[in-house]
Amino acid sequence: SRLRRLGMMLSSCCCQSPLALIDVKGFEPKDVTVVMKDGKVTVSAERKEEHNTCMGKKSSYRKYMKQFSLPPGCEKEVTYSV
């Protein structure tokens, strides 16, 4: 499997510049979850891969999580894009 470099950008209507740019290298968009609660944004990603080889089964597991607080007044509308 090939690794893809995905960049996720979080933005808000009240802030002129992006709130965060997050590198989620090695994850597919469907592996990434964004949750906003109590003025904090949590970005998490999880991926498990299994491959059969001539020596047996090979597995790998990756997990990523980043949490940060939003600036005051930016909790109303936060969007993200991958």
Side-chain angles (χ1 to χ4, degrees), residues 12 14-15 19 39 69-76:
S12 175
C14 69
C15 302
L19 297 174
S69 297
L70 293 171
C74 288
E75 299 93 0
K76 293 179 184 176

Side-chain angles (χ1 to χ4, degrees), residues 2 8 14 23 36 47:
R2 62 186 174 98
M8 172 177 280
C14 69
D23 184 4
M36 189 177 80
R47 184 174 180 103

Side-chain angles (χ1 to χ4, degrees), residues 10-78:
L10 292 158
S11 301
S12 175
C13 61
C14 69
C15 302
Q16 296 192 5
S17 60
L19 297 174
L21 296 172
I22 301 167
D23 184 4
V24 285
K25 177 182 173 183
F27 294 99
E28 297 292 327
K30 65 181 172 72
D31 301 330
V32 180
T33 304
V34 179
V35 177
M36 189 177 80
K37 183 177 180 182
D38 299 327
K40 293 185 180 184
V41 175
T42 303
V43 178
S44 59
E46 193 169 1
R47 184 174 180 103
K48 182 176 181 181
E49 295 177 345
E50 292 182 350
H51 304 281
N52 291 322
T53 67
C54 60
M55 303 292 284
K57 188 184 271 189
K58 180 181 175 182
S59 342
S60 68
Y61 178 79
R62 280 181 251 157
K63 187 172 183 176
Y64 170 86
M65 186 175 82
K66 181 168 180 106
Q67 185 178 61
F68 57 94
S69 297
L70 293 171
C74 288
E75 299 93 0
K76 293 179 184 176
E77 185 180 327
V78 174

